[in-house]
């Protein structure tokens, strides 16, 4: 069968659109979703936890399904699950059904993503892979980071958050019709592998423990809670058992083989993936926290400020595709450059002044946008293209596991540091908020004047509310700037390890 390459790229890029929308919905619409369903913010956080959990647990299983039943069947199954989940999310307001739908969104995302990557890497040339990966990453990463947050937040603020799921239904129906009416534009491969229940059970349990610690631990103040301490110990034990079972090939059959990462180059590639996820997700969380906590931006304003940076992401995408197709340049050599761009932007953000608003953040945001475009696209193309064809499905699963876990680690780390910094800042600033302190008296008089200018009576309750708001703003500003500094320190420690690892792997090769 002749491979219709352009049609394959178009079909797979179209399938990435609903995945990208889903990945951006929670951050833009979490409060509105919880309110519409009658849930607390804590209960609403389980939408995202179930989505990430299903996504990560499904990745290794999706690679096994690709071997056993083929990528085309897995792609069709993912589209069917995605369509069902989108219908439930878009047209029901029952909380249990929504939880189930978000779990289904995670399963569909991994199934479609793994199948699409396998089909691209098996059937296209090196040049075509770069274009296909660029198109897919535009839909799954760049648009969800640069454009979707603003659009989805506007919909959520208008109580139209379910419309974003209804749009996905349209795309899924188009995909179903395409798969039904036309033959698939390439052939498939299958292998009669058996399922290793032992390895699958241990890996799923380990992923469950890690996701709970990284995502749920933020709400329990991490190691101040016995629940999290116990879960850390359980997760660590499960990880060790999982690694042992995979390396020693315990159980009958296959699941996720260790020899896929046997070469030193592939080990360094997984570190690259984790570092890329750590840098991108960590800075995204810090920027959102700073803009919301200090500048008091709404979700739609948070999304709008990222739109200009999207142009720089597109520029980074073009540069990445050009480098990947250049005969003399090594695409993986550009990964440290992308990390450096994000590092420089964070250094600028760490010196930002809350009183100047967004004016001194534009350069940092534009630099970060270019770094995100270069880092995401180049890392994905260079790492996934380096696996042997027989290892492609499992290599794809390993890559997205490490990248996602790196991102979750970045978010969890800086959430914890933000909490610690805020506690320290409150204790220091709180000492000055007493009636005998000159600074407190000055602030109090200023608040009285503000109320009088607004033709309001300066009651003690109103003055106290304004002073409390001032304390919260100062706390968020200092904690935010300090966390950007912590990010710079973290990357200055992690990035040299990447460079040394790349040179070490190159010499051994």
């Amino acid at each position: 069968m002749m491979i219709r390459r352009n049609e394959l790229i178009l079909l797979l890029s179209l399938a990435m659109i609903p995945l990208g929308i889903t990945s951006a919905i929670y951050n833009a619409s979490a409060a509105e979703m919880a309110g519409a369903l009658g849930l607390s913010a804590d209960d609403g956080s389980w939408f995202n936890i179930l989505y990430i959990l299903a996504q990560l647990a499904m990745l290794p299983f999706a690679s096994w399904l690709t071997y056993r039943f083929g990528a085309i069947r897995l792609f069709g199954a993912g589209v069917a699950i995605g369509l069902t989940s989108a219908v439930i999310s878009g047209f029901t307001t029952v909380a249990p059904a929504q939880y189930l739908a978000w779990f289904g969104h995670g399963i569909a995302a991994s199934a479609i993503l793994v199948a699409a990557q396998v089909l691209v890497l098996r059937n296209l040339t090196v040049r075509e892979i770069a274009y296909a990966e660029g198109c897919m990453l535009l839909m799954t990463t760049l648009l969800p980071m640069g454009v979707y947050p603003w659009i989805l937040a506007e919909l959520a603020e208008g109580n139209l958050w379910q419309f974003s799921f209804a749009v996905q239904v349209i795309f899924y129906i188009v995909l179903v019709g395409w798969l039904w009416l036309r033959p698939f534009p390439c052939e498939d491969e299958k292998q009669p592998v058996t399922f290793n229940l032992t390895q699958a059970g241990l890996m799923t349990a380990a992923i469950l423990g890690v996701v709970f610690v990284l995502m749920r631990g933020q709400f329990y103040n991490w190691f101040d809670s016995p629940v999290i301490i116990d879960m850390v110990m359980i997760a660590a034990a499960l990880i060790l058992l999982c690694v042992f079972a995979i390396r020693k090939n315990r159980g009958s059959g296959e699941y996720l083989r260790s020899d896929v990462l046997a070469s030193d180059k592939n080990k360094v590639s997984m570190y690259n993936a984790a570092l890329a996820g750590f840098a991108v997700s960590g800075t995204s969380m810090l920027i959102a926290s700073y803009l919301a906590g200090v500048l008091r931006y709404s979700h739609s304003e948070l999304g709008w400020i990222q739109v200009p940076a999207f142009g720089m992401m597109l520029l980074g995408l073009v540069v990445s595709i050009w480098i990947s197709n250049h005969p003399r340049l090594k695409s993986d050599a550009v990964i440290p450059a992308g990390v450096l761009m994000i590092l420089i932007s964070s250094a600028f953000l760490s010196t930002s002044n809350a009183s100047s608003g967004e004016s001194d953040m534009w350069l940092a945001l534009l630099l970060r946008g270019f770094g995100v475009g270069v880092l995401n696209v180049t890392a994905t193309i260079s790492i996934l293209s380096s696996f042997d064809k027989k290892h492609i499905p499992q290599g794809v699963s390993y890559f997205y596991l490490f990248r996602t876990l790196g991102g979750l680690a970045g978010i969890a780390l800086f959430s914890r540091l933000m909490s610690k910094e805020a506690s320290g800042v409150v204790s220091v600033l709180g000492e000055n908020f007493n009636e005998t302190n000159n600074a407190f008296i000055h602030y109090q008089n200023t608040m009285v004047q503000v109320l009088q200018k607004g033709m309001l009576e300066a009651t003690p309750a109103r003055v106290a509310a304004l002073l409390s708001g001032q304390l919260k703003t100062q706390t968020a500003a200092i904690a935010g700037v300090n966390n950007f500094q912590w990010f710079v320190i973290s990357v200055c420690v992690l990035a040299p390890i990447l460079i040394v690892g790349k040179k070490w792997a190159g010499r051994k090769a």
Side-chain angles (χ1 to χ4, degrees):
M1 176 182 176
M2 178 184 236
I3 301 174
R4 303 189 300 278
R5 292 178 169 83
N6 292 335
E7 184 178 336
L8 178 63
I9 294 175
L10 179 59
L11 173 63
L12 299 181
S13 299
L14 181 65
M16 297 298 111
I17 295 177
L19 305 188
I21 295 174
T22 303
S23 67
I25 287 176
Y26 179 79
N27 289 333
S29 313
E32 290 78 8
M33 288 171 53
L37 298 172
L39 301 173
S40 65
D42 184 67
D43 292 335
S45 67
W46 279 98
F47 290 131
N48 197 36
I49 294 173
L50 289 172
Y51 174 71
I52 297 296
L53 173 62
Q55 199 174 29
L56 290 179
M58 183 63 186
L59 282 171
F61 186 50
S63 70
W64 182 85
L65 290 172
T66 302
Y67 284 115
R68 185 67 178 84
F69 299 101
I72 295 177
R73 286 189 178 181
L74 177 63
F75 182 82
V79 169
I81 295 172
L83 174 58
T84 304
S85 301
V87 169
I88 295 173
S89 295
F91 300 99
T92 64
T93 55
V94 180
Q98 289 287 341
Y99 285 127
L100 179 63
W102 275 88
F103 192 80
H105 286 304
I107 293 175
S110 287
I112 294 174
L113 192 59
V114 171
Q117 291 288 4
V118 169
L119 292 169
V120 164
L121 296 170
R122 279 179 176 173
N123 295 286
L124 300 183
T125 64
V126 175
R127 179 180 293 273
E128 292 165 344
I129 286 174
Y131 290 121
E133 293 290 349
C135 291
M136 291 194 296
L137 284 165
L138 174 64
M139 304 302 177
T140 58
T141 304
L142 303 189
L143 281 170
M145 293 184 65
V147 177
Y148 290 168
W150 170 55
I151 298 174
L152 296 175
E154 290 285 351
L155 290 173
E157 290 178 4
N159 200 27
L160 296 173
W161 59 271
Q162 285 188 297
F163 182 75
S164 56
F165 291 105
V167 171
Q168 295 180 58
V169 173
I170 297 173
F171 284 104
Y172 280 125
I173 290 175
V174 171
L175 290 170
V176 169
W178 193 327
L179 295 175
W180 184 26
L181 298 175
R182 289 184 60 82
F184 209 84
C186 66
E187 293 182 343
D188 206 354
E189 299 178 19
K190 302 175 188 176
Q191 297 179 20
V193 295
T194 55
F195 186 68
N196 193 318
L197 182 60
T198 301
Q199 294 181 15
L202 287 173
M203 177 162 283
T204 302
I207 290 173
L208 172 63
V210 171
V211 170
F212 183 88
V213 170
L214 292 179
M215 298 190 70
R216 194 63 184 167
Q218 303 170 37
F219 300 94
Y220 286 99
N221 205 18
W222 274 43
F223 299 115
D224 296 338
S225 168
V227 174
I228 298 303
I229 294 175
D230 292 341
M231 280 303 303
V232 168
M233 300 300 294
I234 293 172
L238 288 170
I239 290 171
L240 292 175
L241 286 173
C242 180
V243 172
F244 174 80
I246 292 175
R247 287 187 63 87
K248 299 298 183 181
N249 198 24
R250 298 299 183 185
S252 59
E254 293 186 10
Y255 194 60
L256 202 60
R257 297 170 53 176
S258 62
D259 58 351
V260 177
L261 303 182
S263 70
D264 297 321
K265 180 181 179 181
N266 286 345
K267 291 186 179 71
V268 174
S269 294
M270 294 305 103
Y271 183 85
N272 285 350
L275 181 59
F278 178 89
V280 174
S281 299
T283 51
S284 296
M285 189 277 294
L286 291 176
I287 291 171
S289 299
Y290 187 84
L291 292 175
V294 180
L295 302 184
R296 305 296 182 182
Y297 278 21
S298 65
H299 279 153
S300 61
E301 291 171 329
L302 283 172
W304 175 249
I305 199 174
Q306 297 293 340
V307 173
F310 174 68
M312 296 301 292
M313 293 183 196
L314 288 180
L315 179 60
L317 170 67
V318 172
V319 171
S320 296
I321 294 175
W322 175 73
I323 291 172
S324 299
N325 288 325
H326 198 284
R328 295 183 181 179
L329 296 177
K330 293 183 178 180
S331 57
D332 60 345
V334 187
I335 295 176
V339 175
L340 180 62
M341 286 287 183
I342 296 177
L343 180 64
I344 295 173
S345 70
S346 299
F348 284 146
L349 290 170
S350 68
T351 59
S352 61
N353 186 353
S355 62
S356 64
E358 65 185 41
S359 60
D360 60 350
M361 300 181 68
W362 281 116
L363 178 60
L365 291 173
L366 293 175
L367 281 175
R368 178 181 176 275
F370 183 76
V372 167
V374 169
L375 183 59
N376 271 294
V377 180
T378 308
T380 303
I381 294 173
S382 63
I383 293 173
L384 294 183
S385 301
S386 65
F387 288 106
D388 295 336
K389 283 208 169 183
K390 63 181 180 180
H391 290 154
I392 283 175
Q394 300 194 43
V396 171
S397 296
Y398 272 121
F399 170 76
Y400 283 106
L401 273 173
F402 276 86
R403 195 179 76 167
T404 306
L405 289 174
L408 292 179
I411 293 172
L413 172 62
F414 294 113
S415 293
R416 177 58 176 163
L417 289 176
M418 184 75 76
S419 175
K420 296 287 286 185
E421 291 285 347
S423 298
V425 172
V426 167
S427 64
V428 173
L429 293 178
E431 295 175 358
N432 297 323
F433 274 67
N434 61 77
E435 296 180 354
T436 62
N437 186 276
N438 292 330
F440 176 81
I441 296 173
H442 171 73
Y443 274 124
Q444 191 176 39
N445 292 333
T446 302
M447 296 302 106
V448 170
Q449 294 174 9
V450 169
L451 289 170
Q452 290 175 346
K453 287 181 180 179
M455 305 298 290
L456 295 173
E457 183 182 355
T459 63
R462 287 174 176 168
V463 173
L466 289 175
L467 288 172
S468 176
Q470 184 68 21
L471 176 61
K472 290 179 181 178
T473 300
Q474 290 184 3
T475 300
I478 297 173
V481 168
N482 289 350
N483 268 276
F484 282 116
Q485 294 173 352
W486 278 114
F487 175 81
V488 172
I489 294 171
S490 300
V491 174
C492 286
V493 173
L494 296 173
I497 298 175
L498 169 62
I499 296 172
V500 171
K502 288 172 64 64
K503 291 185 176 180
W504 169 72
R507 286 178 181 175
K508 291 196 72 175

